[in-house]
Every structure is written in structure tokens, then in C-alpha cells.
Amino acid sequence: MKVAVLGAGAIGAYVGAALHRGGAEVHLIARGEHLRAIREAGVRVLSPRGDFTAHPHATDDPREVGTVDHVFLGLKANSYAAAGALVRPLLHESTTLIAAQNGIPWWYFHGLKGPYQGYRIESVDPGGSVTAALPLERAVGCVVYAATEIEEPGLVRHLEGTRFSIGEPSGELTARCVDFSEAMTRGGLKCPVEQDLRKDVWIKLMGNIAFNPISALARATMAGICRHDGARELVVAMMRETVEVAGRVGCDPGVSVERRLRGAEKAGEHKTSTLQDLEKGKPLELDVLLAAVVELADLTGAEVPTLRAIHAVSDLLSESLAS
């Protein structure tokens, strides 16, 4: 199996190292000091499950790689629309795009029977730009339950979790999903193929939609948010509104707000990816988290006053960072 990891940051490099350890032919597409360090010493992984080093091929030019069986997208979702030129050299007629992203994916209503089948979420796929870069028929969803961070160039610290749930938008069990799942398993990761990955999308989003923007606005860790009574109540309100929207588009996450909150508390003094991006001066990945759910609330008539308020102030923060 030949796999390209486009966006070999903390998650991408960790997945690429695991796949390589499991015997796949892996090509990491990275840049800057991180790329230089990987070329010199490989991907070094520090993990409570055991440290290891992998030496996959690494480049900043996908044309060096050629076509592959699977492209694992480790990019932030707000980079997808601009990824077409990087993706195209990697594609043959049946190449799969494994999209490991937070929030509502651009493929969400693709192949979903019901009143919203084929609906394009503007805040996620503005003007169809993401679909143009990443064709829907190639998309396989991926919900990440692992936490990693780049401690220094080439060095990935794995904090917790090894599960990467994948699934077809149609819900079918396909050979391409099974092949990728087996390769991930050989590398020491959990990669169940889910019949209804949308449920996983909403379960993870229940936490991300609240903790990510609040952490950036308050510069607080997940545990810090949970310890603050007012912030905790805000999280609960946002989660409840999110579950309401999920139900209106036909999905029951099947996890209570209380259980989801307890799971988030266990993360401890963890900085969300949004807070990490803020501290590094990077764009905030909030459209697929907040804006998308507010758009779906408008579509379905759901009342989401708390989500709208947090979306407004976090959008203002994003604008101030971009100016």
C-alpha cells in the first residue's frame, strides 16, 4: 500500500510514522524546519505506549511522490480549498482521500438520504471550492480520537488515544476503507470502519464546538474551563444546542451532554488545537466547528442563541488576527 500524508503535522506525522512501522510505503509532505528534521532523523514519537522512530520518505513536493492509493489529509479544514494543486499529482483513478478533520466535513450531505441530500454547506465549502479541490467521490471521513503535539521539529509527543474512526459518506463497507483500516491496525492504531460516521462527527463536535472557541477567547485549558462554574454552564448550553441541530439533520449522537463533559474533563490541562493555533499566530479553524452548525440551525429552524453569541465573538477574534 502506498500512502501520502499531506500535512504531516502532529497528527499527520504520527499517523505516517505508524503506517510506516506497519509496513506501508509512506510519503510525508511537510515543510520548513519540521521537514528538515524528519529528513535528518526521521519522525521521533514519544508515547506512553512506547517511543519509536520511523524513517518514511519526506518531501515538500507531491510531484516527487507520484500517485498513491490513499492520501491522508492532515491539513486543517480551512486549508482544504487551496489544497487542489498539492493533491492532484497524488491521484490515480481510484485514490482515496482520508479526511481527518474536526467539525462538519464538506462531504456531510453527500450520499445522505433525506430532505438535505446533496446540500452544500457554504461555511464549510464556500462556492464549492473544497469540492473542486477534493472530489466527493474520493472522500472517506475520519474522526480523530488521538491527541498529539509537535514538541520540536521532527518530534511528536503522543498524549493519549489511538482511535481513528473512518467511514464512507454512503455508509457502505468498501474495500478501500477495509484496506486502510488494516494498514492502520498493523501500525498499532485503532481504525474501526463505521457504518454511520456522522454519529462520531457529532460526538466529537459536541466538545470541539464549545471548548475550542472558549479556550481561545479565555486562553484557558480544558480543565480550567471545566473548573469555572460560568464557563462550564456555557459549555453545557452549547452542547445541548449542538445536539438539537444534530437531531434536526437526522443524527442522534447517542451520548449525553454529561458524559461528553466528563470525557472532556479527563483531558486535564490540555490546550485545544484552536488555542495552540492562536498562540502560534495561525488562522483559527472555527468555520467547520461553529459557523457550520449555525448555518445548519438556520437551515432547520433550530434555536441556538448561545452558539450564535460565541460564534460572533470568536469570528471577531479571527478577523482581528487576520488584519
Side-chain angles (χ1 to χ4, degrees), residues 61-68 71 83-92:
D61 186 356
R63 292 172 297 183
E64 287 184 15
V65 176
T67 61
V68 299
V71 178
L86 295 172
V87 169
R88 278 191 290 274
L90 302 171
L91 303 180
H92 58 56

Side-chain angles (χ1 to χ4, degrees), residues 223-247:
I225 293 168
C226 290
R227 283 193 300 267
H228 188 278
D229 291 343
R232 188 185 181 95
E233 290 178 9
L234 188 60
V235 167
V236 169
M238 294 176 74
M239 285 187 178
R240 287 176 176 162
E241 291 177 7
T242 300
V243 171
E244 171 68 17
V245 175

Side-chain angles (χ1 to χ4, degrees), residues 108-119:
Y108 190 87
F109 290 108
H110 176 60
L112 180 64
K113 292 181 172 59
Y116 306 114
Q117 183 172 0
Y119 178 81

Side-chain angles (χ1 to χ4, degrees), residues 160-205:
E160 62 176 355
T162 59
R163 181 177 160 200
F164 294 77
S165 296
I166 64 172
E168 294 281 356
S170 67
E172 297 173 89
L173 179 63
T174 59
R176 64 185 187 177
C177 282
V178 172
D179 287 347
F180 187 76
S181 172
E182 291 176 349
M184 293 280 275
T185 301
R186 287 193 295 271
L189 303 178
K190 297 176 183 177
C191 189
V193 182
E194 302 291 351
Q195 186 174 4
D196 184 7
L197 191 69
R198 291 174 180 85
K199 181 175 288 191
D200 287 73
V201 167
W202 285 104
I203 290 171
K204 188 168 186 191
L205 182 55

Side-chain angles (χ1 to χ4, degrees), residues 101-175:
Q101 68 160 100
N102 287 326
I104 303 293
W106 86 104
W107 54 259
Y108 190 87
F109 290 108
H110 176 60
L112 180 64
K113 292 181 172 59
Y116 306 114
Q117 183 172 0
Y119 178 81
R120 179 176 57 79
I121 307 170
E122 180 64 25
S123 52
V124 172
D125 187 9
S129 55
V130 175
T131 297
L134 309 174
L136 288 168
E137 66 274 10
R138 295 183 180 272
V140 164
C142 178
V143 178
V144 178
Y145 293 97
T148 59
E149 59 187 25
I150 295 178
E151 194 156 291
E152 62 183 52
L155 179 63
V156 176
R157 181 170 293 278
H158 170 229
L159 303 172
E160 62 176 355
T162 59
R163 181 177 160 200
F164 294 77
S165 296
I166 64 172
E168 294 281 356
S170 67
E172 297 173 89
L173 179 63
T174 59

